């Protein structure tokens, strides 16, 4: 489900409240109907009656329409690490981080996330960017665990495990027909990981 976009024919609007959101909605519709590669920043701006220059005030490039907001996810993860008890195990700390991340994926956001995921999956360069994004989250969480005194290898394993749980849960959450809350899916995936580790111990 895409957000309706009203085009202002014959008028170029330089700045309005909600401009970023309107540009994002227009970009998503164009990426879906025309294809990511065949859509330019100028096309996106024109769709909502804005200048290309205005587009670049909000997004570094057309790719960032899909990947903006990483700093919010990173902050949520690090806040979750900080919220863990001082004596929490590495796994308990990572679980605290994932719990803090879950509210960013509300049911209201799911239609956008489904549309975005479909666009990313159709483009190899975007899939690579998605992997880099996940790697960045793992690196940040590893550093936060190391700051709590967790040994390097343990910190990396715990952080990578957490990011993997998040990625698997996200994939399930955006699947067509899925209606469960993100936090419930993520909790289920986490429990599967814990059970798998226990079976191999």
């Amino acid at each position: 489900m895409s957000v309706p976009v009203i085009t202002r024919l014959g008028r170029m609007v330089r700045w309005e409240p909600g401009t970023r959101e309107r540009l994002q909605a227009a970009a998503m519709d164009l990426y879906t109907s025309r294809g990511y590669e065949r859509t330019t920043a100028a096309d996106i701006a024109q769709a909502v009656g804005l200048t290309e220059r205005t587009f670049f005030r909000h997004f570094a490039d057309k790719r960032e329409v899909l990947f903006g907001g990483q700093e919010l996810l990173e902050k949520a993860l690090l806040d979750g690490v900080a919220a863990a008890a001082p004596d929490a195990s590495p796994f308990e700390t990572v679980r605290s981080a994932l719990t803090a991340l879950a509210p960013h994926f509300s049911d209201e956001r799911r239609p956008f996330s489904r549309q975005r995921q479909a666009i990313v999956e159709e483009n190899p360069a975007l899939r690579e960017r998605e992997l880099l994004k996940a790697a960045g989250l793992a690196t940040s969480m590893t550093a936060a665990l190391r700051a709590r005194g967790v040994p390097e290898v343990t910190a990396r394993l715990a952080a990578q495990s957490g990011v993997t749980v998040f990625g698997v849960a996200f994939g399930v959450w955006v699947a067509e027909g899925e209606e469960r809350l993100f936090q419930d899916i993520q909790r289920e995936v986490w429990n599967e990981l814990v059970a798998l580790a226990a079976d191999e111990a």
Side-chain angles (χ1 to χ4, degrees):
M1 181 187 303
S2 59
V3 180
V5 175
I6 300 174
T7 302
R8 299 171 181 269
L9 297 176
R11 181 177 170 214
M12 300 303 282
V13 181
R14 291 180 60 82
W15 195 271
E16 291 183 16
T19 296
R20 181 182 177 89
E21 291 74 17
R22 293 192 303 122
L23 285 166
Q24 187 175 53
M28 297 295 286
D29 283 344
L30 288 170
Y31 293 165
T32 299
S33 62
R34 183 183 300 180
Y36 172 81
E37 293 290 353
R38 291 187 293 276
T39 300
T40 67
D43 293 332
I44 297 166
Q46 185 177 16
V48 289
L50 299 172
T51 65
E52 186 177 7
R53 183 177 179 181
T54 300
F55 175 89
F56 287 116
R57 285 178 181 152
H58 293 275
F59 300 100
D61 54 43
K62 67 176 188 176
R63 181 184 61 180
E64 287 309 303
V65 173
L66 299 166
F67 293 101
Q70 166 129 5
E71 65 281 358
L72 297 177
L73 298 184
E74 182 174 331
K75 183 179 185 303
L77 282 174
L78 297 182
D79 285 348
V81 170
D87 60 348
S89 71
F91 248 29
E92 289 170 340
T93 303
V94 169
R95 185 166 191 174
S96 174
L98 294 178
T99 298
L101 188 64
H104 288 269
F105 298 91
S106 63
D107 273 353
E108 291 76 14
R109 187 172 177 80
R110 183 154 23 195
F112 167 84
S113 295
R114 280 179 174 151
Q115 187 181 20
R116 174 195 173 279
Q117 193 65 17
I119 295 166
V120 169
E121 289 177 355
E122 289 177 357
N123 188 287
L126 296 179
R127 292 200 301 271
E128 182 178 358
R129 177 67 180 84
E130 187 91 314
L131 291 174
L132 289 173
K133 172 183 164 184
L137 293 176
T139 297
S140 295
M141 188 150 51
T142 298
L145 289 168
R146 291 286 292 120
R148 291 172 62 95
V150 178
E152 174 69 25
V153 172
T154 303
R156 290 173 59 187
L157 281 172
Q160 290 283 359
S161 296
V163 171
T164 297
V165 166
F166 165 67
V168 172
F170 180 82
V172 173
W173 182 68
V174 296
E176 288 299 327
E178 180 59 64
E179 297 180 353
R180 289 175 295 167
L181 297 175
F182 180 82
Q183 55 263 39
D184 292 340
I185 297 171
Q186 186 170 252
R187 186 181 307 112
E188 180 179 305
V189 175
W190 176 269
N191 290 339
E192 288 285 344
L193 174 66
V194 172
L196 180 63
D199 288 343
E200 296 298 322

